C-alpha cells in the first residue's frame, strides 16, 4: 500500500526535495497538501498491468491522487497522462483534477482507476524522459492488443517486433517463436508471426529504450494513433464517430477519417443536451458568413464528456499557459464551470528543458533484458528544435490560427440565453498572443494533404504543358521582390566558410528529407490502396526507408538547432561547442553505419519494384501515373536511390571542412573521423551503386524508346546518349544516338502522343572503325562509322562534341573487341527496325511503317502518357549529348538553397528556393513547398559571370544563357556563388573521359 508520506521519494528522483515537478509551474512550488480527514484506499491500475493502492483523504481533489500516482512513478512529464474510471452509467470518464474525489467516485473502494495516456503529441520527440516514452510504449501495446490502434499488417508486425525486442532482447528464432506463441500482442497474430520475426531479426543490438523510441516513431504516423472514437450521428442519421486530436476535431466513419476541423477553423464548441455543435469561422473566399455543424450523441453525459476532452486537448496543445478560472457569477451561473487544469505542453517542455533532473532507474515489468535505464543515451538524442517548434504550431494552418481559445468567452446572444446552451467554448482573436513563426507540419496532415494531391489532382498534373526545355515557366507574377532594406540585411550574412558549409548541409538535408518523405508517405500511401502490390514489396519499402527517414528527421532537427544557435551567437563571438559541425556529422555517420543494411537494400528496392511491374501491368500503370505527378519531379527510381547518393554529399561536405580547418582546430578531429567512416561506408557500397545507377538509366531509357524490349539486362552498360546529324541523300537529318557496350542505336522522335523515340537501326561495335571525314564530305565536325562493309556518316554540332563522341566510341569498340565476339541483337524482331545489314538509306515509307507497327505492338495503356523532360528529350531539344561520366558527376553535384533570380529585361529580383539535381534547376517559393513551380534543364546552357556592361550592380551574380534566353541569379555570399557556379558548370559542360579522370574538385 502506498501512503502519502512516501511521496518524498519523488523529490530524490527530481533532484529537488522541495518539489515533485508534477503539474507545477515553477520548480519551487509544492503539490497540494493532503486535506484532513479519514483516508480512503483507492486502487489504480498502471500501464504495466500492476495495481497499486493509494491512501487518499476522502476530501482530497483529483489532483492530489493524480500527483501521488506520478510521484510513485517518479514521473516528471506526468501532464500527458490522466486517470480514467467507469462511471455509474458504465462509461469511461476522466477524473477531474479540480473536483473532490468523493463527488466523482461514489464507491471508491470498489472502483479501479486506470492510469493511461491522455494527450498524444503529434511528434514523439517532444517526450524527453525515457520513463515517459516507456509508458507511452506500454499504451501503444495495450491499444494494439485491444484493437483500438488499427493499422495494416506490415505496420502491426513492425510495431510488435519493436515491442518484443524491448521485452526479450535480440533475435533468437526459437525463443522469439515461443514468446509469440505464449503472448498475444495483436489479433490474428499467428498469421503475421513470420513477418514479425523477420522484422525482429533486423533490430539486433537495439536497447529497450531505443525500441520504445522506434515503436513510438512508427505508431505516431498511424492515423488511429491516440484516437478515441465517440459514437455520434449527423443530421441525416448516418452513424459516425467523433474524435479529438492535437490538431482539432475529427470525424470518422468506421475507422476511416472522412473530415477534420482544424482549431483555426473552429469559432465555438458547444453542446445542448445531446447535440454537439461545431461553429466554424467565416470563410471570406467563399462568401460564407459562418456554418454550424451538428452531431447527435447518445446522451447528454456523452456529449458533455466529449466537449470536455475537446476543451482540454485544445488548451493543452494550443495555449501557452494554464487558462485562468472563470469569475464566479454574482447571481446565476450558466453552463458548466469546467476548465483545463494543469500545465500546457509548452510549459511541460520548458520545465523539463530548464531543469536538470537526476536520472533514476525504473523497472520494466515485461522486459527480460538486463539493461540499466539510467544510462540510456536517448535523453540527449531528442532534438531541442522539435521541442521548441512543437508548441509554436504543430498543425498545417494559416496565420489565422494565432487565435487563443478561452472558455466562457463572449458568445453570441443566441447561445447565451437561459437554458439554450449547457456550455460554449469560444475561440476569439487575441492580439497579444504569440503566433508561430514557421509552424512545422505534423505527419498526419502531411500524409492527408500529399495523398490528396496525388489522387485528387491527377488530371491537372497530367495536363499538357509547354515544354520547359527552353525557359522556366515561372514568371514575375506573385513573386516576392527584394528591396534595398532586404539587400542591406543580406550584406550582413556571415562570411565564415565553416558556417557556409554548415548552411549548405542544412539546405541539402531539407531537400533530401523531403525526397524520403515522397517514398515513405506518398508512394507507399498509393501502394497501400492497390491490391496489385505484393506484400513483400510493401514490407521491403517500409523496412528500408522508414528507419532512414527517422534518422534523417532527427539529424535535420539537430542541425537546424545548431545553425540557429550559430547564427544567434555568432555576433557575440561565442565559439566552441556552438560553432562546430563535426560532432553532429560524426554521430550521424555512426548511426548510418548501423543502417548500412537499409542503404544496401535501397538498390534491391529498385530491382524488386521493376520485377513487380513486369509481373503486373496494373502496378506498372500505377507507378507511371505516380511519376507524372508534380511532386515526383525526377524519376521515381532516383528517389529510391537517394540514400546512396546522400553518402557522396556527406563525403564532399566533410572533405571541405577538413580542408578548411587546420589540424589544431577543435572540430577537425571529429570531421576527420566522420570523413574516414563515410569513405569506408561509401567504398563498401560503391560497386553496388555503380551497377544500380546504370540499371536505373537503362530503365529510364526503356520508357523513352519504342522498339526495344528488355533493355535493362545484366552486363549492358550505357556509355553515351545524344544528338548527331546523320548524312543521307536528303542532307543532314537530326537523329538521337544511344551508345551501349556492344551496340549503337539511332532513332528519331516522331509525331506521336507519347513523346518517345522510334529506333531505326542498330550497329554492332565489334569490328567497327571510326575516322574523321570532314574533308571527305565537306561537313563540319563529321566522322564516319564503318561496320560490316557499311558506312554511316554523322556530324556533331561542335568540335568538342565530336571529340567526346569519337573518344567514347573508340573505348566502346575496344570493349567489344575484348568481349570475344559480337553481342546478341538488342532489338526485337519488330517490323521497320533495321539491322546492320539493311540498306543505308532509310525512306519515309520505312519511317512511317516503323511508327505504325511499333505503336500497335506496344502497350498502349503503359505508354499513353509519358514525361517529356527526361534527359533524352532535353538532349534532343538542345542538340547535345550526355555520357555515363556526366551522370556520375551529376549524382555528386546536387545543391539546394535560396537564390535571387532576374530575367533579362526585368527590374526586380525574385527570391526563390532552388533545387539543382538531374541536370535541372527546380524552382519553389520556399523550401516547404510540396512541388516545384517550374524547372529549367541546363544541358546546352552556358554559365558565366555577369559583365559590367549588363548593368547588374550587385555582388555574386552569375548568368545563364542559351541562344536568346538569359537569366541572372544572385547568391548571398561568395562561398555560395562559387558552389552554384561549380555545380551548374558540371551540367552545362559535358565531360570527356580524359577530363573527368584528370579533374580535381575546386576547394
Amino acid at each position: 500500500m502506498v501512503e502519502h508520506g512516501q511521496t518524498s521519494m519523488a523529490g530524490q528522483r527530481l533532484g529537488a526535495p522541495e518539489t515533485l515537478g508534477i503539474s507545477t509551474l515553477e520548480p519551487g512550488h509544492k503539490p497540494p497538501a493532503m486535506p484532513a480527514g479519514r483516508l480512503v484506499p483507492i486502487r489504480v491500475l498502471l500501464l504495466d498491468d500492476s495495481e497499486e493502492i493509494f491512501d487518499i483523504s476522502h476530501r482530497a481533489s483529483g489532483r492530489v491522487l493524480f500527483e501521488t500516482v506520478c510521484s510513485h512513478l517518479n514521473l516528471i512529464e506526468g501532464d500527458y497522462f490522466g486517470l480514467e474510471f467507469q462511471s455509474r452509467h458504465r462509461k469511461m470518464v476522466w477524473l477531474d483534477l479540480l473536483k473532490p474525489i468523493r463527488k466523482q467516485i461514489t464507491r471508491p473502494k470498489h472502483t479501479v482507476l486506470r492510469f493511461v495516456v491522455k494527450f498524444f503529441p503529434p511528434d514523439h520527440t517532444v517526450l524527453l524522459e525515457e520513463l515517459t516514452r516507456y509508458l507511452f510504449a506500454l499504451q501503444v501495446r495495450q491499444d494494439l492488443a485491444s484493437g483500438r490502434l488499427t493499422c495494416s499488417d506490415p505496420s502491426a508486425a513492425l510495431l510488435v517486433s519493436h515491442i518484443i525486442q524491448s521485452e526479450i532482447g535480440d533475435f533468437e528464432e526459437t525463443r522469439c517463436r515461443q514468446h509469440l506463441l505464449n503472448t498475444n500482442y495483436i489479433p490474428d497474430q499467428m498469421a503475421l508471426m513470420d513477418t514479425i520475426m523477420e522484422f525482429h531479426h533486423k533490430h539486433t543490438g537495439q536497447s529497450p529504450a531505443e525500441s520504445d523510441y522506434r515503436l513510438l516513431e512508427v505508431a505516431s504516423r498511424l492515423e488511429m494513433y491516440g484516437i478515441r472514437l465517440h459514437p455520434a450521428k449527423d443530421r441525416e442519421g448516418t452513424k459516425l464517430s467523433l474524435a479529438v486530436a492535437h490538431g482539432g476535431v475529427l470525424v470518422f466513419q468506421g475507422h476511416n477519417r472522412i473530415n477534420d476541423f482544424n482549431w483555426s477553423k473552429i469559432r465555438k464548441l458547444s453542446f445542448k443536451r445531446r447535440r454537439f455543435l461545431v461553429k466554424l469561422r467565416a470563410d471570406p473566399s467563399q462568401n460564407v458568413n459562418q456554418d454550424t455543424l451538428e452531431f447527435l450523441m447518445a446522451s447528454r453525459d456523452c456529449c458533455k464528456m466529449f466537449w470536455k476532452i475537446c476543451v482540454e486537448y485544445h488548451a493543452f496543445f494550443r495555449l501557452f499557459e494554464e487558462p485562468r478560472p472563470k469569475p464566479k457569477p454574482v447571481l446565476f451561473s450558466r453552463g458548466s464551470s469546467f476548465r483545463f487544469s494543469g500545465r500546457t505542453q509548452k510549459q511541460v517542455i520548458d520545465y523539463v528543458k530548464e531543469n536538470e533532473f537526476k536520472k533514476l532507474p525504473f523497472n520494466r515489468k515485461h522486459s527480460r533484458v538486463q539493461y540499466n535505464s539510467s544510462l540510456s543515451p536517448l535523453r540527449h538524442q531528442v532534438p531541442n528544435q522539435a521541442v521548441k517548434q512543437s508548441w509554436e504550431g504543430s498543425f498545417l494552418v494559416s496565420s489565422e490560427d494565432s487565435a487563443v481559445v478561452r472558455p466562457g468567452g463572449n458568445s453570441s446572444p443566441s447561445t447565451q440565453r437561459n437554458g439554450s446552451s449547457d456550455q460554449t467554448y469560444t475561440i476569439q482573436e487575441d492580439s497579444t498572443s504569440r503566433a508561430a513563426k514557421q509552424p512545422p507540419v505534423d505527419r498526419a496532415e502531411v500524409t492527408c494533404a500529399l495523398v490528396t494531391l496525388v489522387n485528387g489532382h491527377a488530371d491537372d498534373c497530367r495536363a499538357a504543358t509547354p515544354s520547359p526545355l527552353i525557359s522556366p515557366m515561372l514568371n514575375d507574377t506573385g513573386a516576392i521582390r527584394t528591396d534595398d532594406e532586404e539587400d542591406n540585411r543580406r550584406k550582413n550574412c556571415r562570411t565564415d566558410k565553416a558556417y557556409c558549409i554548415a548552411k549548405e548541409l542544412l539546405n541539402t538535408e531539407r531537400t533530401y528529407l523531403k525526397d524520403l518523405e515522397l517514398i515513405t508517405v506518398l508512394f507507399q500511401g498509393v501502394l497501400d490502396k492497390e491490391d496489385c502490390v505484393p506484400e513483400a514489396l510493401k514490407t521491403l519499402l517500409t523496412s528500408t526507408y522508414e528507419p532512414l527517414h527517422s534518422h534523417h528527421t532527427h539529424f535535420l532537427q539537430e542541425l537546424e538547432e545548431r545553425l540557429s544557435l550559430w547564427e544567434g551567437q555568432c555576433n557575440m563571438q561565442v565559439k566552441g561547442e556552438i560553432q562546430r559541425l563535426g560532432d553532429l556529422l560524426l554521430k550521424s555517420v555512426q548511426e548510418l553505419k548501423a543502417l548500412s543494411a537499409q542503404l544496401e537494400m535501397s538498390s534491391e528496392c529498385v530491382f524488386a519494384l521493376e520485377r513487380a511491374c513486369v509481373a503486373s501491368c496494373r502496378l506498372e500503370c500505377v507507378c507511371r501515373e505516380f511519376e507524372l505527378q508534380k511532386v515526383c519531379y525526377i524519376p521515381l527510381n532516383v528517389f529510391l536511390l537517394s540514400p546512396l547518393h546522400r553518402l557522396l554529399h556527406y563525403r564532399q561536405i566533410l572533405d571541405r571542412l577538413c580542408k578548411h580547418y587546420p589540424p589544431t582546430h577543435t572540430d577537425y578531429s571529429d570531421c576527420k573521423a566522420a570523413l574516414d567512416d563515410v569513405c569506408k561506408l561509401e567504398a563498401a557500397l560503391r560497386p553496388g551503386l555503380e551497377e544500380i545507377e546504370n540499371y536505373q538509366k537503362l530503365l529510364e531509357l526503356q520508357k523513352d524508346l519504342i522498339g526495344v524490349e528488355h533493355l535493362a539486362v545484366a552486363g549492358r552498360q550505357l556509355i553515351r546518349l545524344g544528338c548527331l546529324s546523320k548524312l543521307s541523300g536528303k542532307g543532314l537529318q537530326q537523329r538521337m544516338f544511344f551508345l551501349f557496350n556492344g551496340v549503337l542505336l539511332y532513332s528519331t522522335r516522331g509525331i506521336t502522343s507519347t513523346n518517345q523515340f522510334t529506333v531505326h537501326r542498330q550497329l554492332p561495335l565489334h569490328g567497327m572503325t571510326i575516322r574523321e571525314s570532314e574533308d571527305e564530305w565537306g561537313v563540319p565536325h563529321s566522322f564516319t562509322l564503318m561496320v560490316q562493309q557499311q558506312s554511316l556518316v554523322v556530324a556533331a554540332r561542335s568540335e568538342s562534341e565530336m571529340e567526346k563522341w569519337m573518344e567514347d566510341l573508340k573505348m566502346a569498340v575496344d570493349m567489344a573487341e575484348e568481349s570475344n565476339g559480337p553481342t546478341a541483337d538488342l532489338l526485337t524482331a519488330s517490323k521497320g527496325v533495321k539491322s546492320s545489314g539493311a540498306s543505308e538509306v532509310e525512306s519515309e515509307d520505312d519511317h512511317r511503317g516503323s511508327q505504325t507497327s511499333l505503336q500497335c505492338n506496344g502497350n498502349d495503356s503503359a505508354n499513353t502518357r509519358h514525361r517529356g523532360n527526361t534527359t533524352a528529350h532535353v538532349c534532343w531539344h538542345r542538340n547535345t549529348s550526355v555520357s555515363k561520366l556526366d551522370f556520375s558527376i551529376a549524382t555528386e553535384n546536387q545543391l539546394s538553397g535560396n537564390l535571387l533570380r532576374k530575367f533579362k529585361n526585368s527590374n526586380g529580383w525574385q527570391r526563390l528556393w532552388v533545387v539543382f539535381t538531374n541536370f535541372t534547376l527546380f524552382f519553389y517559393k520556399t523550401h516547404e513547398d510540396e512541388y516545384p513551380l517550374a524547372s529549367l534543364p541546363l544541358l546546352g546552357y552556358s554559365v558565366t559571370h555577369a559583365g559590367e556592361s549588363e548593368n547588374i550592380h550587385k555582388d555574386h551574380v552569375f548568368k545563364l544563357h542559351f541562344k536568346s534566353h538569359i537569366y541572372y541569379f544572385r547568391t548571398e555570399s561568395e562561398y555560395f556563388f562559387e558552389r552554384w557556379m561549380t555545380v551548374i558548370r558540371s551540367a552545362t559542360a559535358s565531360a570527356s573521359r580524359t577530363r573527368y579522370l584528370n579533374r580535381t574538385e575546386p576547394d
Side-chain angles (χ1 to χ4, degrees), residues 913-924:
W913 176 262
V914 184
V915 174
F916 171 74
T917 185
N918 205 35
F919 308 106
T920 305
L921 293 176
F922 295 94
F923 300 99
Y924 303 76

Side-chain angles (χ1 to χ4, degrees), residues 61 77 198 236 332 430 446 480 523 602 730 767 797 820 877 949 988 997:
S61 66
E77 300 171 296
E198 182 180 352
E236 287 74 27
F332 304 102
D430 188 346
V446 167
I480 302 175
F523 186 56
S602 59
K730 297 182 179 180
R797 67 180 176 90
N820 298 324
H877 283 278
S949 61
T988 56
L997 295 176

Side-chain angles (χ1 to χ4, degrees), residues 129-363:
E129 288 287 311
E130 179 184 332
L131 173 59
T132 312
R133 292 192 293 270
Y134 169 63
L135 295 176
F136 265 76
L138 291 178
Q139 184 68 66
V140 171
R141 186 180 189 268
Q142 289 186 5
D143 291 347
L144 274 175
S146 65
R148 175 182 293 170
L149 181 57
T150 58
C151 57
S152 63
D153 288 346
S155 298
L158 182 59
L159 291 170
V160 173
S161 68
H162 284 299
I163 295 174
I164 61 176
Q165 172 69 22
S166 173
E167 294 185 358
I168 68 173
D170 291 344
F171 177 78
E172 290 182 9
E173 184 173 358
T174 304
R175 182 175 62 175
C176 179
R177 187 178 298 276
Q178 188 62 39
H179 182 76
L180 289 173
L181 291 174
N182 296 335
T183 310
N184 192 41
Y185 294 100
I186 53 176
D188 300 327
Q189 180 172 290
M190 294 296 296
L192 296 177
M193 184 175 295
D194 292 337
T195 306
I196 295 172
M197 294 174 64
E198 182 180 352
F199 280 130
H200 184 202
H201 184 64
K202 299 176 181 180
H203 303 329
T204 301
Q206 193 168 279
S207 68
E210 292 169 334
S211 297
D212 294 342
Y213 193 83
R214 303 303 176 194
L215 174 71
L216 297 179
E217 192 173 44
V218 177
S220 61
R221 289 195 291 267
L222 300 176
E223 187 170 58
M224 297 301 294
Y225 174 68
I227 296 298
R228 290 175 176 239
L229 299 178
H230 298 258
K233 294 180 181 180
D234 62 9
R235 291 179 177 177
E236 287 74 27
T238 304
K239 291 184 178 180
L240 303 170
S241 295
L242 299 180
V244 60
H246 63 278
V249 179
L250 312 177
V251 183
F252 286 81
Q253 194 164 38
H255 285 88
N256 298 319
R257 186 169 68 175
I258 61 174
N259 208 342
D260 60 272
F261 305 101
N262 197 284
W263 296 124
S264 63
K265 301 177 183 178
I266 300 175
R267 190 165 67 91
K268 292 180 182 178
L269 292 175
S270 60
F271 68 95
K272 298 178 182 179
R273 297 180 179 87
R274 296 173 55 193
R275 292 182 296 155
F276 182 78
L277 305 176
V278 181
K279 183 166 289 189
L280 303 179
R281 291 185 181 277
D283 189 351
S285 63
Q286 298 181 5
N287 296 323
V288 177
N289 293 328
Q290 64 183 17
D291 190 16
T292 301
L293 304 175
E294 181 179 313
F295 300 92
L296 187 66
M297 307 193 78
S299 64
R300 181 185 180 278
D301 289 341
C302 294
C303 203
K304 182 177 181 180
M305 180 177 62
F306 182 65
W307 175 82
K308 282 185 176 181
I309 191 62
C310 288
V311 172
E312 291 184 311
Y313 250 84
H314 179 274
F316 182 76
F317 286 110
R318 301 297 291 170
L319 300 189
F320 298 107
E321 58 185 17
E322 179 181 0
R324 296 178 180 178
K326 287 174 56 178
K328 293 185 178 181
V330 178
L331 297 177
F332 304 102
S333 63
R334 293 176 179 173
S336 172
S337 61
F338 176 78
R339 67 178 179 89
F340 172 75
S341 172
R343 293 182 298 188
T344 64
Q345 185 185 33
K346 176 191 178 300
Q347 290 175 306
V348 176
I349 292 171
D350 290 346
Y351 177 75
V352 178
K353 287 173 57 181
E354 293 169 2
N355 297 275
E356 287 295 331
F357 303 113
K358 182 179 179 181
K359 198 170 188 64
L360 296 181
F362 59 88
N363 178 42

Side-chain angles (χ1 to χ4, degrees), residues 562 577 580-588 667 670-671:
R562 179 65 57 85
E577 293 299 319
R580 56 180 305 195
L581 194 60
D583 58 327
L584 293 183
L585 282 167
L586 180 59
K587 186 181 78 168
S588 177
D667 208 22
D670 285 342
C671 290

Side-chain angles (χ1 to χ4, degrees), residues 37 71 140 225 368 503 808 830 916 993:
S71 172
V140 171
Y225 174 68
R368 306 175 189 174
K503 191 67 176 291
D808 284 347
S830 301
F916 171 74
R993 186 160 52 96

Side-chain angles (χ1 to χ4, degrees), residues 541-700:
L541 292 173
T542 301
S543 60
T544 299
Y545 293 98
E546 292 286 357
L548 292 171
H549 180 271
S550 173
H551 164 75
H552 288 283
T553 298
H554 303 150
F555 177 59
L556 177 60
Q557 291 168 341
E558 292 180 333
L559 194 59
E560 286 176 336
E561 178 191 10
R562 179 65 57 85
L563 265 293
S564 177
L565 294 174
W566 197 328
E567 293 167 350
Q569 301 292 340
C570 190
N571 293 332
M572 301 170 59
Q573 297 181 352
V574 177
K575 298 184 178 181
E577 293 299 319
I578 293 178
Q579 295 184 350
R580 56 180 305 195
L581 194 60
D583 58 327
L584 293 183
L585 282 167
L586 180 59
K587 186 181 78 168
S588 177
V589 171
Q590 290 174 344
E591 292 175 356
L592 279 177
K593 289 172 65 177
L595 295 173
S596 58
Q598 280 75 14
L599 294 173
E600 292 178 358
M601 290 305 295
S602 59
S603 299
E604 177 58 28
C605 289
V606 177
F607 289 116
L609 181 61
E610 177 61 20
R611 288 194 298 267
C613 289
V614 171
S616 171
C617 294
R618 171 59 186 163
L619 179 58
E620 182 182 4
C621 292
V622 169
C623 294
R624 186 71 61 89
E625 291 284 346
F626 183 79
E627 279 196 316
L628 293 175
Q629 310 304 320
K630 293 179 181 179
V631 290
C632 194
Y633 59 95
I634 54 179
L636 177 60
N637 285 333
V638 178
F639 287 106
L640 295 176
L641 295 178
S642 58
L644 295 175
H645 297 162
R646 191 59 179 155
L647 280 181
L648 308 180
H649 307 153
Y650 287 152
R651 174 178 55 77
Q652 290 183 342
I653 290 290
L654 287 164
D655 187 54
R656 292 192 197 101
L657 284 171
C658 289
K659 289 180 180 179
H660 170 68
Y661 287 136
T664 56
H665 194 278
T666 56
D667 208 22
Y668 179 83
S669 58
D670 285 342
C671 290
K672 183 63 176 175
L675 178 60
D676 293 340
D677 287 343
V678 166
C679 290
K680 292 178 183 177
L681 189 58
E682 179 191 346
L685 298 173
R686 179 167 286 278
L689 175 60
E690 294 176 352
E691 178 186 357
I692 192 61
E693 282 183 338
N694 178 74
Y695 182 73
Q696 186 270 324
K697 298 298 183 302
L698 295 177
L699 290 177
E700 191 66 21

Side-chain angles (χ1 to χ4, degrees), residues 934-950:
S935 62
L936 176 63
L938 296 182
L939 293 175
Y941 266 77
S942 299
V943 58
T944 59
H945 293 70
E948 296 181 359
S949 61
E950 296 174 273

